[in-house]
């Protein structure tokens, strides 16, 4: 039961209080796929330019990720550059060169079409909708979005998430989408827009999962040093969906597996925390499933009473 | 094993997006005592003016709080007035009339001196130190402070908390006191100043408890409407210490009761959440221990996995 991941693959330039990297592998689909690959087979859909390095393709392939849907076209790969504030709670975008990503039109290889789990990274909502509609037999589908689409593509976004089983956004986006400052009220309004399952990410403060008349909240993992938060939210998404796919999660099952959903939120949190420990995707070059499971147990230790 | 509570008893004027009250019972010692009274016998030490209403004295006495240490002197009771921002994450102080509180010099009745639990509300650190030194046989003592004392009375504050078993402050204060932005590092530095137990309150995001090589984190309770956050931190403190006193918590016991400490953090969170449901101390006019225990179980439900 593979997980199909659609989104950006990019090169990033990042500056944090701990250092600076001019160009390194990045992009939502990259982070999501690497993170989810620790749980379940991933099939990626993305576009890169002819400058995309073999070693970066290899990193994905070596994690067992199916790269049949990683399209290579003439031109340059999407490039983003940003700089974080001293406390790393804010970041400033310095460069956004969409390059080949400007014309991204996700093409699903035939071998992907019958998969049951779909995670749509933050791209134009119309493209997300087109992908979703191609995967007729999908069991659990949804994704991410961002402030830009919420503000300027609202109708298209609403038409897109109407068909989603889950939406995974941050607290600021939840407030913006719902028009409610209070997250409980925001969650109720957003679930009325379509998704039965809503995950709200709160950065260092953790994450919340909402379903009808039920919710689960986990605090953030307490890292002593946050090296680079880039990609942490996408790694959360990858851990969350990777675990659900691994468990064969079925939202239509008569006994909704609340335990499985809450554990998926913990695995998401675990993966987001590892992501911050080094620049870019570096942590995933050495990370093992045993480390992931050990941190999962740490979450139990510091939250149970 | 009663709990001695020292701090301000005041009248407050409060404006929130949900309404406005010109004058109502308030003050840190009031909130702490009312909250703790659901768990253990409380003995209060505070000063009020001759304008202090009988019905307010009665509210405390009716909750079984020993008011022998509630000194009444000529003059007016401390008055504070504040206004909250629309999202209630900030507040502006409009009036601070210290009145009789300006000369507050806590006097412990003889009957209080042998109690084993002491909670010092946010007052001048020198006064906190003087109270602590009078209670020779205390088992678990500590308290709260604020940005003003951290900035302008730092040496006196450090000399005070050196003798404390616990310190209970918010995240901004922890960062200010330690000079560390990261809360794990901040906690390590603060514990090196004296207190073996540190509780960091994070407002809507919950609370953290630190001890040497151990920590516990709980997210905040998700209220649909926060009516008035005034006193929530003090109610947290009251629930935390009230529960520990009720359990006869002994920090020098060979088996430190980690479960008891983490449950104390949950009871603190429960009491802080109830406090926000109505203006001022109103919620404590009707709140029952059964409601408190039911919310404690809710915390288990939304945090365990």
């Amino acid at each position: 039961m593979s997980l199909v991941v659609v989104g950006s693959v990019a090169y990033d330039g990042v500056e944090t209080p701990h250092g600076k990297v001019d160009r390194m592998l990045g992009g939502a689909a990259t982070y999501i796929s690497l993170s989810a690959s620790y749980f379940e087979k991933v099939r990626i859909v993305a576009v890169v330019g002819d400058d995309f390095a073999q070693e970066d393709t290899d990193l994905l392939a070596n994690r067992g990720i199916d790269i049949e849907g990683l399209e290579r076209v003439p031109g340059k790969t999407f490039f983003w550059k940003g700089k974080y504030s001293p406390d790393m709670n804010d970041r400033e975008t310095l460069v956004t060169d969409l390059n080949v990503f400007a014309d991204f039109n996700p093409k699903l290889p035939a071998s992907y079409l019958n998969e049951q789990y779909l995670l749509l990274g933050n791209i134009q909502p119309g493209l997300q909708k087109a992908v979703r509609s191609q995967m007729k037999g999908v069991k659990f589908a949804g994704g991410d979005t961002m402030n830009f689409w919420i503000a300027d593509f609202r109708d298209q976004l609403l038409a897109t998430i109407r068909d989603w089983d889950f939406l995974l956004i941050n607290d600021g986006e939840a407030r913006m989408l719902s028009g409610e400052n209070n997250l409980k009220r925001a969650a109720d309004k957003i679930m009325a827009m379509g998704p039965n399952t809503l995950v709200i990410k709160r950065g260092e403060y953790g994450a919340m999962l909402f379903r009808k008349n039920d919710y689960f909240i986990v605090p953030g993992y307490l890292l002593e040093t946050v090296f680079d938060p880039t990609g942490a939210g996408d790694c959360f998404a990858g851990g969350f969906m990777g675990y659900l796919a691994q468990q064969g999660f079925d939202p239509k099952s008569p006994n909704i597996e609340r335990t499985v959903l809450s554990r998926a939120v913990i695995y998401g949190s675990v993966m987001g925390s590892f992501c911050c420990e080094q620049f870019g995707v570096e942590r995933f070059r050495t990370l093992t499933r045993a480390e992931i499971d050990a941190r999962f147990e740490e979450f139990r230790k510091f939250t149970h009473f």
Side-chain angles (χ1 to χ4, degrees), chain A residues 39 267 270 274 288-298:
Chain A
F39 301 91
Y267 275 112
V270 164
F274 278 120
T288 65
R289 179 66 196 248
E291 287 177 296
I292 293 167
D293 288 332
R295 187 160 291 179
F296 180 93
E297 287 308 318
E298 264 193 86

Side-chain angles (χ1 to χ4, degrees), chain A residues 85-153:
Chain A
S85 64
D87 68 1
M88 281 188 277
N89 286 327
D90 288 301
R91 73 179 185 194
E92 183 190 355
T93 291
L94 302 174
V95 180
T96 306
D97 290 336
L98 290 176
N99 299 327
V100 299
F101 190 65
D103 301 313
F104 181 42
N105 188 6
K107 292 179 196 66
L108 275 73
S111 62
Y112 288 23
L113 291 174
N114 296 316
E115 296 299 349
Q116 303 197 316
Y117 298 94
L118 171 64
L119 178 43
L120 295 152
N122 164 36
I123 55 173
Q124 206 273 340
L127 297 178
Q128 291 175 319
K129 189 171 169 64
V131 173
R132 168 68 187 84
S133 66
Q134 286 175 68
M135 291 185 63
K136 309 277 184 214
V138 78
K139 200 187 262 184
F140 197 59
D144 191 8
T145 190
M146 72 183 288
N147 50 6
F148 176 64
W149 311 121
I150 296 171
D152 294 356
F153 287 71

Side-chain angles (χ1 to χ4, degrees), chain A residues 40-107:
Chain A
E40 188 53 84
K41 176 82 182 173
V42 174
R43 303 191 195 279
I44 197 170
V45 180
V47 66
V48 293
D50 45 26
D51 61 342
F52 197 67
Q54 187 61 41
E55 61 175 327
D56 294 324
T57 308
D58 291 347
L59 177 67
L60 300 173
N62 290 342
R63 289 267 349 126
I65 297 164
D66 183 346
I67 54 169
E68 190 187 343
L70 182 66
E71 192 187 2
R72 180 185 286 262
V73 300
K76 283 188 167 178
T77 301
F78 178 17
F79 181 74
W80 174 85
K81 186 174 175 178
K83 184 179 171 173
Y84 286 85
S85 64
D87 68 1
M88 281 188 277
N89 286 327
D90 288 301
R91 73 179 185 194
E92 183 190 355
T93 291
L94 302 174
V95 180
T96 306
D97 290 336
L98 290 176
N99 299 327
V100 299
F101 190 65
D103 301 313
F104 181 42
N105 188 6
K107 292 179 196 66

Side-chain angles (χ1 to χ4, degrees), chain A residues 35 60 63 74 86 94 98 118 149 164 171 191 205-206 212 219-221 228 244 290 294 297:
Chain A
S35 173
L60 300 173
R63 289 267 349 126
L94 302 174
L98 290 176
L118 171 64
W149 311 121
W164 286 7
D171 44 3
M191 288 189 289
Y205 298 111
K212 194 172 165 64
Y221 184 76
D228 173 13
L244 289 180
E297 287 308 318

Side-chain angles (χ1 to χ4, degrees), chain A residues 169-184:
Chain A
I169 53 182
N170 70 35
D171 44 3
E173 290 157 356
R175 291 185 166 116
M176 193 175 174
L177 178 58
S178 64
E180 287 281 354
N181 188 58
N182 179 284
L183 290 179
K184 177 76 178 66

